[in-house]
Amino acid sequence: MSAPDQRPEAASPVQADTRLDAALPLGTEIVTLDGLIPIEHLLPGDRVITRDAGAQRLRAVVRRRVPDNLRMVTVTRDALGGKPDADIVLLPHQRILIRDWRAKTLYGAPQVKIAAARLIDGEYVRWAETKPTHVMSLHFDRLHIVYAGGLELQSANRHLEPGFGVQ
């Protein structure tokens, strides 16, 4: 593991028509083979525990500045059936794996991956009043569900790496 200042940061500015794919604020704890590690201390080659495929090696970890005009979503502690462990701020397009009554009732499936912004109810999940200055994306050889900040979240899209995807 290395210091956060040794992380690559994308050189190109984020344009207004660019959508952030999947990235997490600095300080978000990720479940790895070495235990809970803050995202900013992860490096390519580290093994992250995934829900769908067990321990997987990171291919890339990219730190990006959050655009000033981007609205983010706050998921409050215990908002999703006892998860997350603490309030967490997510990108609006960050997909969260939901495996409870919401998936069954709203989508007729035992589990679904849904964008954080689609879960906004104004009380437990709401537009964030503050946001981080930087986020970090985790890239694998394919999409995975990682345990991050007490939630099950989809990793960044490898086809859009490094960093953010254009929609």
Side-chain angles (χ1 to χ4, degrees), residues 24 28-31 36 75 78 80-88 96-97 146-153:
L24 300 166
T28 302
E29 291 185 324
I30 308 298
V31 178
L36 290 172
V75 179
D78 296 331
L80 303 173
K83 301 182 232 177
D85 303 332
D87 291 3
I88 186 170
I96 303 170
L97 180 65
V146 299
Y147 299 101
L151 292 173
E152 296 169 327
L153 303 174

Coordinates of all heavy atoms in Angstrom, one line a residue, residues 24 28-31 36 75 78 80-88 96-97 146-153:
L24 N -15.7 6.3 -5.7 CA -16.0 6.5 -4.3 C -15.2 7.6 -3.7 O -14.0 7.8 -4.1 CB -15.8 5.2 -3.6 CG -16.7 4.0 -4.1 CD1 -16.2 2.7 -3.6 CD2 -18.2 4.3 -3.7
T28 N -13.4 6.0 1.9 CA -14.3 4.8 1.9 C -13.6 3.5 2.1 O -12.6 3.3 1.4 CB -15.1 4.8 0.5 OG1 -15.8 6.0 0.3 CG2 -16.1 3.6 0.5
E29 N -14.0 2.7 3.0 CA -13.3 1.5 3.3 C -13.8 0.4 2.4 O -15.0 0.2 2.2 CB -13.5 1.1 4.8 CG -12.7 2.0 5.7 CD -12.8 1.6 7.1 OE1 -13.8 1.0 7.6 OE2 -11.8 1.8 7.8
I30 N -12.8 -0.3 1.8 CA -13.0 -1.4 0.8 C -12.6 -2.7 1.5 O -11.5 -2.8 2.1 CB -12.2 -1.2 -0.5 CG1 -12.5 0.2 -1.0 CG2 -12.5 -2.3 -1.5 CD1 -13.9 0.5 -1.5
V31 N -13.4 -3.8 1.3 CA -13.0 -5.1 1.9 C -12.0 -5.7 1.0 O -12.3 -5.9 -0.2 CB -14.3 -6.0 2.1 CG1 -13.9 -7.3 2.6 CG2 -15.3 -5.3 3.0
L36 N -10.2 -4.3 6.0 CA -10.8 -3.0 5.5 C -9.6 -2.0 5.2 O -8.8 -1.7 6.1 CB -11.7 -2.4 6.5 CG -13.0 -3.2 6.7 CD1 -13.8 -2.6 7.9 CD2 -13.9 -3.1 5.5
V75 N -26.5 8.6 1.1 CA -27.2 7.5 1.6 C -26.9 7.5 3.1 O -25.8 7.3 3.5 CB -26.8 6.2 0.9 CG1 -27.5 5.0 1.5 CG2 -26.9 6.2 -0.6
D78 N -28.0 3.1 7.8 CA -29.1 2.2 8.0 C -30.2 2.4 7.0 O -31.3 1.9 7.2 CB -29.6 2.2 9.4 CG -28.6 1.7 10.4 OD1 -27.8 0.8 10.0 OD2 -28.7 2.1 11.6
L80 N -30.7 1.4 4.0 CA -31.0 0.3 3.1 C -31.0 -1.0 3.9 O -30.1 -1.9 3.7 CB -30.1 0.3 1.9 CG -30.1 1.5 1.1 CD1 -29.0 1.5 0.0 CD2 -31.4 1.8 0.4
G81 N -31.9 -1.1 4.8 CA -32.0 -2.4 5.6 C -30.8 -2.7 6.4 O -30.3 -3.8 6.4
G82 N -30.4 -1.7 7.2 CA -29.2 -1.8 8.1 C -27.9 -1.5 7.4 O -26.9 -1.6 8.1
K83 N -27.9 -1.0 6.2 CA -26.7 -0.6 5.5 C -27.0 0.8 5.0 O -28.1 1.2 4.8 CB -26.5 -1.5 4.3 CG -26.3 -2.9 4.6 CD -26.0 -3.7 3.3 CE -26.9 -4.8 3.1 NZ -26.8 -5.5 1.8
P84 N -26.0 1.6 4.8 CA -24.6 1.4 5.2 C -24.3 1.6 6.6 O -25.2 1.9 7.4 CB -23.9 2.5 4.3 CG -24.9 3.6 4.2 CD -26.2 2.9 4.2
D85 N -23.0 1.4 7.0 CA -22.6 1.5 8.4 C -22.6 3.0 8.9 O -22.7 3.2 10.1 CB -21.2 0.9 8.6 CG -21.1 -0.5 8.1 OD1 -22.1 -1.2 8.2 OD2 -20.0 -0.9 7.7
A86 N -22.4 3.9 8.0 CA -22.4 5.3 8.2 C -22.8 6.0 7.0 O -22.9 5.4 5.9 CB -20.9 5.8 8.6
D87 N -23.2 7.3 7.1 CA -23.6 8.1 5.9 C -22.5 8.0 4.9 O -21.3 8.0 5.2 CB -23.8 9.5 6.3 CG -25.0 9.8 7.2 OD1 -25.7 8.8 7.6 OD2 -25.3 10.9 7.5
I88 N -22.9 7.9 3.6 CA -21.9 7.9 2.6 C -22.4 8.7 1.4 O -23.6 8.7 1.2 CB -21.6 6.4 2.1 CG1 -20.5 6.4 1.1 CG2 -22.9 5.7 1.6 CD1 -20.0 5.0 0.7
I96 N -25.9 0.4 -6.9 CA -25.9 -0.2 -5.6 C -26.6 -1.5 -5.8 O -27.7 -1.6 -6.4 CB -26.6 0.6 -4.5 CG1 -26.0 2.0 -4.4 CG2 -26.7 -0.1 -3.2 CD1 -26.8 3.0 -3.6
L97 N -26.1 -2.6 -5.2 CA -26.8 -3.9 -5.3 C -27.8 -3.9 -4.2 O -27.4 -3.8 -3.0 CB -25.8 -5.1 -5.1 CG -26.5 -6.5 -5.2 CD1 -27.1 -6.7 -6.5 CD2 -25.4 -7.5 -4.8
V146 N -18.3 -4.9 -5.3 CA -17.4 -4.7 -4.2 C -18.1 -4.3 -2.9 O -19.2 -3.7 -3.0 CB -16.2 -3.7 -4.5 CG1 -15.4 -4.2 -5.7 CG2 -16.7 -2.3 -4.7
Y147 N -17.5 -4.7 -1.8 CA -18.0 -4.3 -0.5 C -17.3 -3.0 -0.1 O -16.1 -3.0 0.1 CB -17.8 -5.4 0.6 CG -18.4 -6.7 0.2 CD1 -17.7 -7.7 -0.3 CD2 -19.8 -6.9 0.5 CE1 -18.3 -8.9 -0.6 CE2 -20.4 -8.1 0.2 CZ -19.7 -9.1 -0.4 OH -20.3 -10.3 -0.7
A148 N -18.1 -1.9 -0.1 CA -17.5 -0.6 0.1 C -18.4 0.3 1.0 O -19.6 0.4 0.7 CB -17.3 0.1 -1.2
G149 N -17.8 0.8 2.1 CA -18.6 1.7 3.0 C -19.8 1.0 3.5 O -20.8 1.7 3.8
G150 N -19.8 -0.3 3.7 CA -21.0 -1.0 4.2 C -22.0 -1.3 3.2 O -23.1 -1.8 3.5
L151 N -21.8 -1.0 1.9 CA -22.7 -1.3 0.8 C -22.1 -2.3 -0.2 O -20.9 -2.5 -0.2 CB -23.1 0.0 0.1 CG -24.0 1.0 0.9 CD1 -24.1 2.3 0.1 CD2 -25.3 0.4 1.2
E152 N -22.9 -2.8 -1.0 CA -22.4 -3.6 -2.1 C -22.6 -2.8 -3.4 O -23.7 -2.5 -3.8 CB -23.3 -4.9 -2.2 CG -23.1 -5.8 -1.0 CD -24.1 -7.0 -1.0 OE1 -25.2 -6.8 -1.4 OE2 -23.7 -8.0 -0.4
L153 N -21.5 -2.4 -4.0 CA -21.4 -1.4 -5.0 C -20.8 -2.0 -6.3 O -19.8 -2.7 -6.2 CB -20.7 -0.1 -4.6 CG -21.3 0.6 -3.4 CD1 -20.4 1.7 -2.9 CD2 -22.7 1.0 -3.6

